[in-house]
Amino acid sequence: MTEASQLQAESKPLPRLSEPEGLLSWVASVDHKQIGIMYLLATLVFFLVGGIEALIMRLQLARPENSLLSPDAYDQLFTMHGTTMIFLVVVPLLIGFATYFVPLMIGARDMAFPRLNALSFWLLVFGGLLLYYSFLAGGAPSAGWFSYAPLSGATFSTSQGLTYWALGLLTVGVGSLAAAINLIVTIFALRAEGMRLTRVPLFVWMVLVNGFILLFALPPLNAALAMLLADRLLNANFFVTNSGGSAILWQQFFWAFGHPEVYIMILPAWGMISEVIPVFSRKPIFGYEFVAGSSVAIGVLSFAVYAHHMFAVGLGMPFNLAFSAASMLIAVPTGIKIFNWIATMWGGRIRFTTSMMFATAFLVLFTIGGITGVTFAVVPIDWQMTDTYYVVAHFHYVLFGGTIFAIFAGVYYWFPKITGRMLSERLGKAHFWTLLIGFNVTFFVQHILGILGMPRRVYTYPDFPGWGGMNLISTAGAFLIAAAVLLFIINVIRSLRSGEPAGNNPWSAWTLEWATSSPPPVDNFKLIPPIRGRRPLWDLAFRPGEERVPMNRNVNRMGMLLFIASEAIFFTLLILAYLYFNRPLGGIVTKEGLDPLQTGIFSAMLFLSSFTIWRATANRGSATTNRTRIWLALTILLGFGFLIGEGLEWRHLFAMGTSISASIFGTTFFTMTGFHGLHVSAGLLMLGIYFFLLQKGMLTTSKRGGIETLSLYWHFVDVVWVVIFSAVYVAGSLA
């Protein structure tokens, strides 16, 4: 019997279930379009909340020595505003657009992992609610969105706000990481036939680069948050300097995430601009290869510039010079994009729709923000300006003048595709001009305030000449921004009710999302047009019946490898932290209580389990199911044996007085081995579920291939322990 006929024989018809309706159809949805819309709606709610927080802060700063807010209340609003806008608005908003449009733009029916897609969204919602619950649990966090140690430690932040902040960001971060893996696999594995990487829209290219930045930037943040939670909840000592910890370690880990995060918040927005400008200029993008290549260069360089946030820390001149040079270098690929967009517009038949007006304003505002950003690459200027309102102005010109204006360009461009109706151009242009004026009134004067020396992160200020007047102007501009957002909401509601029908392609665009109906059907396309270039709707006439089918690649294997890559960074940072604290003067400190021989015995059990799971993988066919069960059972038993051995060692160390709070050795050792134990436990749970399903005959031949994906994870867990065992036990005994 062939494998295909066997699969057909093993397949059983499933009972027909009634489709959920109403609100439940959204809550239970795994359709990428519904999930994308829910991302947009959730982030809009958080955007309004964060905006209200900003308005209250601006009221406090409208005049000198104001007493509208107490210092602690202002610090809470300041922290929540920054955290909300970065983690709950900009990043997930861009993920939402990517979730909706990437499958449509590459000719796919859905995302690679639909259920994981839904989980990513609900983790965002849960993480956001967890963060805002802090208001009801004794007070919101008040250490800034960056939460520098030791201010974020239990000694100086006694309320539970910072704990909820860390838990909320960990939850949101896991969701973002899952979304990044999903998008990368979708782009690599589910492109329609003919949709080569050199033909995908630039929005897809930048989402792809953005996914890899998320994949490698989030682990440092997650590691830092795990350490912070260990300090706050378990009395660990990662960032407690008088117990051997290091407050600077927080900044190293946080900014290793925090500066790539800037590009996480702008790259997909650049992709939107790269779609809008060509369509409304009636020209192909100028220098497609340069725009795509510069995005890759930015993705790589984004990890080499983070320490310019730490020039005032005292890392030393060699470090300052290296990061200064990298910070100047990254402006080159960014500038390439600006020139490409301008060259696309040059000589084009430009239609100044609302979308194009936002895109044009983006070019000007983002350029201003980029130029002020390059000034921070000069170390003496950074020393002078780093804690002033000049940074606030620069940051908002990049992220509001850049990202938010680009997002509005994308909203006006894609709203017809999502809803089937057009947004009002009259209200849209009123929205544009109000926002443009309000934004510049709010933030341009803050450059001057910073040059005059007004510090940021302060709830009030002295009545120095000019400070009060410029702050009042900035506050007035903030309320103009609020009025612009209100105009936008009115436009959306009005258009949803009675907007002009859009048709399938109101802009005469050429990418694949415009080849289907507005809004698209459940399966996205009836037929996908042939793809022989970058503009399938322009280059070729649609030929009925010539459908392009998605490529067939092993999405599970690809997704697991990406997850392993991210987790490898997480463990690398935990191991480096252990070595940093326990290798003074280059020599590893040997700790009493560690027994390399005993640990080697139960480590051998884990190493042996890599062989047994390999055998289980090799014997997964239907004719060798019994052997698969035996090898899989041996793997599970060996894994449990390792956990028991590790538990006995922990018990011995506790009896000797070594704990996570007793010393920096205990802090780093128990955190590192504890997270490894959690990963082993997760692996055993997955293997146990697979064994149960196999034992009950609930796995078809095709489903039995899941053991190969699980084996990749199990081998990774074993490799991590090889590194830990070598660093802690072998090197320690040889010191």
Side-chain angles (χ1 to χ4, degrees):
M1 180 181 289
T2 65
E3 185 171 338
S5 59
Q6 182 180 353
L7 175 60
Q8 183 176 5
E10 291 182 0
S11 301
K12 298 178 181 179
L14 296 175
R16 193 175 186 85
L17 302 176
S18 58
E19 292 290 332
E21 298 179 356
L23 181 61
L24 182 60
S25 69
W26 289 82
V27 173
S29 177
V30 293
D31 177 18
H32 74 97
K33 297 178 293 298
Q34 285 186 306
I35 293 171
I37 291 171
M38 289 192 291
Y39 263 113
L40 302 183
L41 292 175
T43 52
L44 177 61
V45 171
F46 285 124
F47 178 72
L48 295 176
V49 173
I52 292 170
E53 291 165 345
L55 289 177
I56 297 172
M57 290 162 56
R58 285 311 320 168
L59 285 173
Q60 166 65 21
L61 296 170
R63 63 185 181 88
E65 300 176 357
N66 199 358
S67 58
L68 175 66
L69 296 174
S70 67
D72 187 57
Y74 181 88
D75 287 346
Q76 290 183 39
L77 287 176
F78 159 74
T79 301
M80 294 297 283
H81 167 73
T83 302
T84 299
M85 290 302 189
I86 291 171
F87 294 99
L88 303 181
V89 176
V90 176
V91 174
L93 181 59
L94 295 171
I95 290 175
F97 273 106
T99 298
Y100 192 102
F101 284 106
V102 162
L104 289 167
M105 296 176 98
I106 64 174
R109 301 295 184 185
D110 207 323
M111 296 282 282
F113 308 109
R115 291 179 178 84
L116 184 65
N117 195 22
L119 176 64
S120 301
F121 167 74
W122 290 111
L123 285 174
L124 164 71
V125 173
F126 180 72
L129 293 176
L130 195 62
L131 175 67
Y132 272 87
Y133 179 75
S134 62
F135 278 111
L136 304 177
S142 58
W145 75 273
F146 36 78
S147 292
Y148 281 167
L151 182 60
S152 55
T155 302
F156 298 99
S157 294
T158 55
S159 74
Q160 294 302 311
L162 256 298
T163 301
Y164 283 104
W165 179 86
L167 289 170
L169 293 196
L170 264 177
T171 305
V172 172
V174 171
S176 298
L177 187 61
I181 293 172
N182 212 344
L183 287 165
I184 293 171
V185 176
T186 300
I187 294 168
F188 275 132
L190 299 185
R191 300 188 312 278
E193 182 184 345
M195 182 62 76
R196 299 197 294 262
L197 277 177
T198 53
R199 292 175 177 174
V200 299
L202 284 170
F203 177 73
V204 177
W205 251 112
M206 297 196 196
V207 167
L208 178 62
V209 176
N210 193 61
F212 277 106
I213 298 177
L214 277 166
L215 191 72
F216 297 124
L218 280 170
L221 176 66
N222 291 340
L225 292 172
M227 293 175 182
L228 179 61
L229 286 171
D231 279 7
R232 293 185 61 86
L233 299 177
L234 303 175
N235 297 318
N237 304 298
F238 282 109
F239 309 118
V240 183
T241 54
N242 59 359
S243 297
S246 170
I248 301 301
L249 184 66
W250 170 267
Q251 293 194 41
Q252 292 279 9
F253 281 16
F254 182 83
W255 288 118
F257 152 81
H259 201 85
E261 169 78 351
V262 172
Y263 297 97
I264 291 168
M265 293 188 286
I266 195 67
L267 267 169
W270 288 341
M272 293 177 180
I273 294 298
S274 300
E275 301 303 322
V276 168
I277 287 179
V279 167
F280 293 114
S281 298
R282 312 314 298 160
K283 285 177 59 182
I285 189 76
F286 179 84
Y288 172 99
E289 293 83 359
F290 284 101
V291 177
S294 64
S295 300
V296 176
I298 287 170
V300 174
L301 288 172
S302 68
F303 292 91
V305 301
Y306 76 89
H308 73 226
H309 293 274
M310 302 173 63
F311 283 158
V313 168
L315 296 178
M317 192 53 65
F319 287 97
N320 289 348
L321 290 175
F323 284 102
S324 176
S327 300
M328 294 180 184
L329 182 61
I330 202 170
V332 175
T334 305
I336 287 173
K337 293 183 185 297
I338 299 292
F339 287 115
N340 281 111
W341 293 322
I342 294 173
T344 303
M345 297 172 65
W346 191 269
R349 293 181 289 115
I350 299 176
R351 290 185 292 166
F352 277 109
T353 63
T354 303
S355 178
M356 188 62 171
M357 291 169 70
F358 272 106
T360 306
F362 158 87
L363 292 179
V364 177
L365 300 176
F366 179 76
T367 300
I368 294 172
I371 291 171
T372 58
V374 172
T375 62
F376 291 108
V378 183
V379 177
I381 294 177
D382 184 274
W383 285 347
Q384 182 68 26
M385 298 294 186
T386 188
D387 279 322
T388 71
Y389 258 76
Y390 189 88
V391 175
V392 178
H394 152 70
F395 193 66
H396 284 84
Y397 265 84
V398 170
L399 291 184
F400 200 124
T403 301
I404 298 299
F405 271 72
I407 286 172
F408 277 126
V411 167
Y412 280 90
Y413 177 64
W414 277 319
F415 186 87
K417 177 55 58 179
I418 296 174
T419 66
R421 297 190 177 272
M422 303 291 291
L423 283 166
S424 166
E425 285 290 303
R426 181 177 59 85
L427 282 174
K429 289 175 180 176
H431 165 218
F432 167 77
W433 286 111
T434 307
L435 186 63
L436 181 67
I437 295 169
F439 170 79
N440 284 286
V441 168
T442 301
F443 295 109
F444 189 82
V445 296
Q446 293 182 4
H447 290 103
I448 304 171
L449 281 167
I451 293 171
L452 292 176
M454 181 173 173
R456 55 183 175 138
R457 309 169 186 158
V458 293
Y459 87 106
T460 191
Y461 53 92
D463 190 10
F464 290 152
W467 286 24
M470 282 187 280
N471 271 289
L472 183 60
I473 291 171
S474 188
T475 298
F479 279 88
L480 270 178
I481 293 175
V485 173
L486 180 60
L487 283 172
F488 170 70
I489 293 173
I490 292 171
N491 195 358
V492 169
I493 294 173
R494 175 188 175 278
S495 299
L496 287 174
R497 289 180 175 177
S498 57
E500 176 188 350
N504 292 347
N505 190 3
W507 311 124
S508 298
W510 56 75
T511 44
L512 279 185
E513 75 269 27
W514 302 103
T516 186
S517 61
S518 302
V522 173
D523 56 354
N524 290 347
F525 300 94
K526 292 183 179 178
L527 291 174
I528 302 173
I531 302 162
R532 300 191 180 96
R534 293 171 184 157
R535 304 177 299 171
L537 271 64
W538 273 24
D539 294 341
L540 297 168
F542 180 76
R543 301 178 184 179
E546 190 176 356
E547 182 179 8
R548 306 296 96 182
V549 297
M551 296 179 180
N552 184 18
R553 292 193 175 99
N554 192 332
V555 295
N556 293 329
R557 178 184 178 86
M558 193 180 299
M560 180 57 75
L561 288 173
L562 290 169
F563 172 73
I564 287 172
S566 180
E567 288 298 280
I569 298 172
F570 177 81
F571 274 109
T572 297
L573 294 172
L574 292 183
I575 294 167
L576 287 176
Y578 173 86
L579 295 175
Y580 173 75
F581 287 119
N582 295 284
R583 289 191 67 175
L585 302 178
I588 296 178
V589 177
T590 304
K591 297 296 177 183
E592 292 185 5
L594 295 181
D595 187 342
L597 178 60
Q598 176 182 301
T599 306
I601 293 173
F602 64 76
S603 297
M605 300 174 71
L606 187 64
F607 303 151
L608 181 60
S609 70
S610 270
F611 172 78
T612 58
I613 199 169
W614 171 70
R615 293 305 304 158
T617 303
N619 290 277
R620 67 179 178 85
S622 58
T624 55
T625 301
N626 288 332
R627 276 180 282 175
T628 300
R629 292 194 190 101
I630 293 171
W631 288 114
L632 192 58
L634 285 173
T635 303
I636 294 172
L637 289 174
L638 289 169
F640 272 113
F642 169 80
L643 285 181
I644 292 170
E646 184 69 2
L648 291 173
E649 182 184 47
W650 276 31
R651 180 181 177 185
H652 174 65
L653 290 173
F654 289 153
M656 294 185 62
T658 303
S659 67
I660 196 169
S661 60
S663 65
I664 193 65
F665 165 75
T667 292
T668 53
F669 174 82
F670 285 113
T671 301
M672 178 175 58
T673 57
F675 271 105
H676 180 263
L678 285 175
H679 280 68
V680 173
S681 300
L684 288 173
L685 178 62
M686 290 186 287
L687 291 175
I689 293 172
Y690 185 93
F691 181 83
F692 174 80
L693 295 175
L694 187 65
Q695 185 72 17
K696 294 295 184 180
M698 300 171 67
L699 293 177
T700 61
T701 301
S702 61
K703 295 293 185 182
R704 289 173 193 158
I707 188 64
E708 295 177 351
T709 305
L710 292 178
S711 70
L712 290 173
Y713 175 86
W714 194 256
H715 292 318
F716 163 71
V717 169
D718 286 3
V719 170
V720 170
W721 187 252
V722 170
V723 178
I724 293 175
F725 184 78
S726 300
V728 177
Y729 297 91
V730 177
S733 62
L734 296 177

